[in-house]
């Protein structure tokens, strides 16, 4: 009993100490900011700006002051009160230049000028903000937006990207610049250089940190196929899938391109390399190893078609049975009898002609 009371006393003391050490925002700040948030949500932006100004005055911490000043500027911007918004952003940068909100304000000031109709000035500011803060969370979107602006003005985007590549090589924007260079080269018809650029993007920014790793290898594979290198196209996809890893729970850490890559590998083996065994293996791996993919029924269907084409009618029937059991709503389920005449019909549904138009005939049906 005494030990239990002692534990309760220690817990109470710890809670008291933690409460004493916790940062205190101040009641006046909390009330003013809450009023500003309510007004902003209701679309009363001028009122919100006034409330946020009161919150900045009442703040006890610099982070709270920076937040309130930033929100005031954002409210004026939503109000389209351009001059007040400019002055509010300037005050934030002047008073608290090292704050996260001041750094973000550089991007918002650029957006303000663009929204106010000063496109040339605004996009110039956006470029400067991106170059000064390339590791900021807004920098990638700023790069995309600025490149789009260059496109609209007819500028040489590829030359600009190459011009900033070295400056941004050690920043968070390096991957995006490399990928953008590759897409521009591809659009210009320089497929070989584009393929090299996509591969370089994947090399320098591998999985799991490279957010464009799988996209880069996907496009490298497409270009290798166009260039007549089907085996290399398969190798690109195999490299992508090699990083696929199981999760600590169930399934895997799946990226959208992974199951697409598996399907495309199977198609390349079937249509470009005439390797039915490998194609059947990859189609089945998609069904078995990618449980969240919407291509699983497609893969089973294509595997069954190949089995029938290879003279393995029994396997084709087994696969269509799995398809009907696991994917009863699939568009392929009513067509099972075209590959396996002994398959059970699907009540109330018909097989569409576009699915069976070029299906191989079953040896069992001859």
């Amino acid at each position: 009993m005494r030990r239990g009371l002692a534990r309760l006393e220690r817990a109470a003391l710890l809670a008291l100490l933690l409460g004493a050490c916790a940062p205190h925002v101040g009641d006046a700040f909390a009330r003013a900011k809450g009023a500003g948030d309510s007004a902003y949500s209701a679309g009363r932006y001028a009122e919100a700006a006034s409330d946020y100004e009161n919150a900045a005055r009442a703040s006890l911490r610099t982070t709270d002051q920076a937040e309130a000043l930033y929100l005031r500027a954002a409210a004026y911007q939503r109000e389209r009160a351009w001059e007040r918004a400019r002055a509010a952003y300037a005050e934030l940068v002047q008073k608290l230049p090292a704050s996260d909100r001041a750094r973000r304000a550089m991007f918002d000031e650029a957006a303000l000028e663009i929204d106010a109709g000063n496109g040339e000035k605004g996009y110039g500011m956006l470029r400067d903000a991106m170059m000064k803060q390339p590791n900021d969370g807004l920098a990638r979107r700023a790069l995309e937006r600025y490149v789009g602006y260059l496109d609209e003005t007819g500028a040489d985007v590829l030359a600009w990207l190459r011009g900033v590549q070295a400056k941004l090589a050690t920043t968070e924007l390096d991957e995006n610049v490399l990928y953008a260079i590759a897409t521009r080269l591809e659009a210009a018809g320089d497929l070989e250089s584009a393929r090299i650029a996509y591969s370089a993007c994947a090399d320098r920014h591998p999985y799991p940190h490279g957010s464009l790793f799988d996209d880069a290898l996907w496009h490298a594979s497409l270009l290798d196929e166009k260039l007549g290198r089907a085996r290399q196209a398969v190798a690109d996809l195999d490299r992508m899938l090699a990083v696929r890893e199981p999760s600590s729970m169930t399934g895997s850490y799946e990226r959208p391109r992974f199951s697409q890559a598996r399907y495309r590998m199977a198609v390349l083996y079937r249509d470009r390399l005439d390797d039915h065994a490998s194609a059947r293996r990859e189609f089945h791996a998609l069904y078995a190893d990618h449980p969240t993919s919407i291509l699983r029924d497609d893969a089973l269907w294509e595997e069954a078609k190949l089995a029938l084409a290879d003279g393995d009618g029994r396997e084709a029937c087994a696969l269509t049975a799995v398809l009907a059991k696991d994917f009863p709503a699939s568009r392929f389920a009513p067509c099972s009898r075209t590959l396996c005449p002994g398959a059970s019909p699907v009540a109330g549904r018909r097989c569409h002609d576009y699915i069976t138009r070029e299906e191989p005939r079953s040896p069992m049906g001859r």
Side-chain angles (χ1 to χ4, degrees), residues 171-288:
T171 74
E172 296 288 337
L173 288 181
D174 180 62
E175 181 182 25
N176 297 78
V177 171
L178 289 172
Y179 190 85
I181 287 173
T183 61
R184 297 291 159 170
L185 288 168
E186 182 178 1
D190 190 350
L191 303 189
E192 190 66 58
S193 296
R195 195 269 170 205
I196 292 171
Y198 281 126
S199 183
C201 182
D203 290 342
R204 287 174 59 165
H205 300 277
Y207 178 92
H209 302 296
S211 61
L212 297 172
F213 172 80
D214 43 331
D215 290 304
L217 289 175
W218 174 266
H219 286 284
S221 175
L222 292 175
L223 292 181
D224 274 322
E225 183 183 8
K226 286 182 180 180
L227 292 166
R229 301 191 292 249
R231 290 199 179 277
Q232 183 57 52
V234 168
D236 296 328
L237 299 172
D238 192 48
R239 177 185 171 192
M240 183 204 304
L241 290 170
V243 305
R244 196 168 173 267
E245 55 184 319
S247 72
S248 58
M249 302 293 286
T250 58
S252 68
Y253 297 106
E254 194 79 357
R255 289 192 178 184
R257 291 286 191 195
F258 284 171
S259 66
Q260 296 175 9
R262 186 76 71 187
Y263 192 92
R264 182 168 149 68
M265 282 178 69
V267 171
L268 286 166
Y269 276 127
R270 182 192 66 191
D271 297 348
R272 295 289 183 263
L273 299 172
D274 196 26
D275 183 349
H276 281 199
S278 295
R280 288 168 68 175
R281 181 191 70 231
E282 296 302 330
F283 278 132
H284 198 79
L286 197 164
Y287 160 73

Side-chain angles (χ1 to χ4, degrees), residues 314-330:
R314 180 173 297 178
E315 180 66 10
C317 285
L319 290 166
T320 55
V322 172
L323 193 155
K325 175 178 177 294
D326 289 0
F327 307 101
S330 169

Side-chain angles (χ1 to χ4, degrees), residues 4-169:
L5 288 173
R7 282 198 296 270
L8 288 173
E9 289 172 355
R10 286 196 297 270
L13 179 60
L14 178 60
L16 182 62
L17 290 172
L18 289 175
C21 295
H24 184 56
V25 299
D27 293 340
F29 170 82
R31 283 196 300 270
K33 184 178 181 300
D37 292 342
S38 297
Y40 191 97
S41 297
R44 302 192 303 272
Y45 301 117
E47 180 183 333
S50 178
D51 290 329
Y52 289 137
E53 183 174 0
N54 291 335
R57 290 182 183 140
S59 60
L60 302 178
R61 302 181 303 179
T62 56
T63 53
D64 292 333
Q65 184 183 20
E67 177 74 4
L69 289 173
Y70 175 82
L71 291 173
R72 181 182 63 153
Y76 279 135
Q77 187 167 347
R78 287 298 301 270
E79 181 73 8
R80 303 181 75 81
W82 308 126
E83 290 304 323
R84 288 188 173 185
R86 289 186 186 99
Y89 281 127
E91 181 180 349
L92 168 61
V93 173
Q94 182 181 5
K95 283 185 174 180
L96 301 166
S99 67
D100 290 339
R101 285 308 196 182
R103 288 192 290 271
R104 174 164 180 166
M106 295 177 64
F107 294 94
D108 289 301
E109 285 182 287
L112 183 155
E113 295 300 339
I114 294 169
D115 292 343
N118 304 318
E120 185 175 353
K121 178 182 179 181
Y123 281 109
M125 292 171 66
L126 189 67
R127 177 199 61 226
D128 293 344
M130 172 190 66
M131 297 301 293
K132 290 177 182 177
Q133 306 289 340
N135 296 323
D136 189 273
L138 296 174
R140 291 193 177 199
R141 174 62 186 133
L143 174 64
E144 294 172 3
R145 193 173 184 187
Y146 185 69
V147 166
Y149 166 73
L150 292 179
D151 265 333
E152 292 176 1
T153 60
D156 188 340
V157 179
L158 183 57
W160 183 83
L161 288 166
R162 284 173 163 164
V164 299
Q165 182 182 0
K167 298 175 184 176
L168 298 173

